[in-house]
Every structure is written in C-alpha cells, then in structure tokens.
Amino acid sequence: MNFSIPVGVSNRHLHLSQEDLESLFGKGYSLKVMKDLTQTGQFAAEETLTLQGPKGSIEKVRILGPVRPETQIEVSMTDSFKLGIKAPVRESGQIENTPGVTLIGPMGSVVLEKGVIIASRHIHMHTSDAEKFQVSNGQVVAVASHGPRAIIFRNVVIRVRHDFVLDFHLDTDEANAGGLSNCDLVTVISEDSSLPKQ
C-alpha cells in the first residue's frame, strides 16, 4: 500500500440543517457558494457564524454546503478548549452524546443540545482508489508524513464511495504537529489494528 495521498487540512467549520439555516439567516434562505471543495458536490459557503460556548466564542466559522439533515460542528481540540466544551473524537454524522454550543447568525441564534465533534482523521477514496490500495470501507490504517516534522498518524479510517476524491483529511492541530499543508503528500504504510473495523 505504498501509494501517496494528498493532504486536505480541515479548519473549523459547520454543516447546517435547513431549519437551523433559516433560523440564523431568515426564512427560505439558501447558502451562497464561495468555492467548490475537493469532494464532489461539497462547497465552502460565503456565510459564516459565531460559535458561543460556556467559556468563550469563535467568530467567522465557515459554513460548508449543501445543507444536511442535522447540524454538525467540527472543531479542533484547541478550539474546544477555547469554547469550554469537551468535544469527542468522532466520525462525521456520529453526534449522539456530544456537546452543543450556541450558533449566532445575522438574523437570530440557535442553541444546540448536541452536534460538536473533533472529526476523526480519515481518507476519502473512490472505489477505484480502494482497489488500488487494496483496502475497504471502514478499514483502519496508519499514515506517514514526510519532512522535518515527519509523523505517523494511527487510527485513520478509510471511507470509500463512488463519488469520493482521494484525500487525507485531518484538522489544523494534527497538520501543525506534522508540519503539513494542503496538497502535501502522505503515505499509507500499514493496516492499523489499534481500532476495531467499522
């Protein structure tokens, strides 16, 4: 599995439900596309929000589209300290028993009971990439970075779908630890047995 994968550094962001979007921006509101993202159909919106936690707030947090069935906020561990919450490391969509925050928009605010996670590092793969790498959806691998701050990332979950584009997603804390930037290359080095297969 000695193939290179481009890095995608994921800064704090959130995905909104249509209901929460309208509470924050007004009835019938639609997100405005600022730029398309690597993954098919995903985009960074022009709109941003403020996150308010028990201890602090973070302004100008980017919304990613399109809207989703449930609102989800993805932050780094550093961000969670600033907000004053204990966000768990989770895969996207797994928001049960997670902390909430208050979202503040131009037309109102939304108090969330749940939804804040630290996204687990993962690799998006097209089905053809999974065949080349000889891995399957949900498999857990280890990934090596290169350069002066080379590091091995364990517990990296493979996500396979026919519309995914090859990309290693990690947050800003993790990228800084390895001295990584967008489009740097990393290498899958082994299957990682430290986590159960999904």
Side-chain angles (χ1 to χ4, degrees):
M1 292 192 291
N2 192 18
F3 298 108
S4 294
I5 299 172
V7 168
V9 181
S10 183
N11 200 357
R12 67 181 77 96
H13 63 271
L14 66 154
H15 307 273
L16 290 177
S17 68
Q18 184 63 36
E19 179 182 2
D20 289 343
L21 175 65
E22 293 186 10
S23 296
L24 293 158
F25 289 91
K27 185 113 177 120
Y29 194 87
S30 296
L31 292 171
K32 297 176 177 63
V33 179
M34 183 178 72
K35 67 175 181 178
D36 290 326
L37 300 178
T38 303
Q39 298 307 313
T40 306
Q42 306 293 307
F43 63 88
E46 292 181 4
E47 294 82 359
T48 63
L49 292 174
T50 295
L51 307 182
Q52 178 67 56
K55 289 187 177 179
S57 63
I58 301 175
E59 298 180 346
K60 296 183 179 179
V61 179
R62 185 72 54 191
I63 301 171
L64 302 189
V67 293
R68 293 190 176 186
E70 289 189 281
T71 293
Q72 174 178 293
I73 301 97
E74 298 181 29
V75 298
S76 69
M77 189 170 290
T78 299
D79 293 333
S80 71
F81 294 152
K82 183 173 183 178
L83 292 168
I85 59 175
K86 292 184 178 180
V89 177
R90 294 279 184 87
E91 288 193 55
S92 180
Q94 297 180 354
I95 62 171
E96 291 303 316
N97 301 312
T98 60
V101 290
T102 298
L103 307 180
I104 303 171
M107 299 293 288
S109 61
V110 173
V111 178
L112 296 174
E113 298 296 323
K114 62 180 180 180
V116 186
I117 65 170
I118 298 169
S120 58
R121 47 186 175 253
H122 56 277
I123 300 172
H124 290 282
M125 286 190 181
H126 187 274
T127 48
S128 60
D129 294 316
E131 290 179 10
K132 182 176 77 172
F133 281 78
Q134 298 182 347
V135 294
S136 58
N137 187 56
Q139 187 171 337
V140 180
V141 298
V143 169
S145 68
H146 312 285
R149 301 199 73 185
I151 192 171
I152 294 176
F153 296 96
R154 302 189 65 188
N155 303 341
V156 180
V157 180
I158 301 290
R159 296 184 187 168
V160 181
R161 209 166 73 188
H162 71 280
D163 58 345
F164 277 166
V165 176
L166 188 64
D167 210 10
F168 173 46
H169 273 193
L170 72 174
D171 69 26
T172 50
D173 284 354
E174 296 169 312
N176 289 338
L180 292 169
S181 301
N182 285 323
C183 300
D184 286 347
L185 297 177
V186 295
T187 306
V188 176
I189 56 172
S190 67
E191 182 169 0
D192 191 338
S193 60
S194 60
L195 278 184
K197 292 185 179 182
Q198 307 296 310

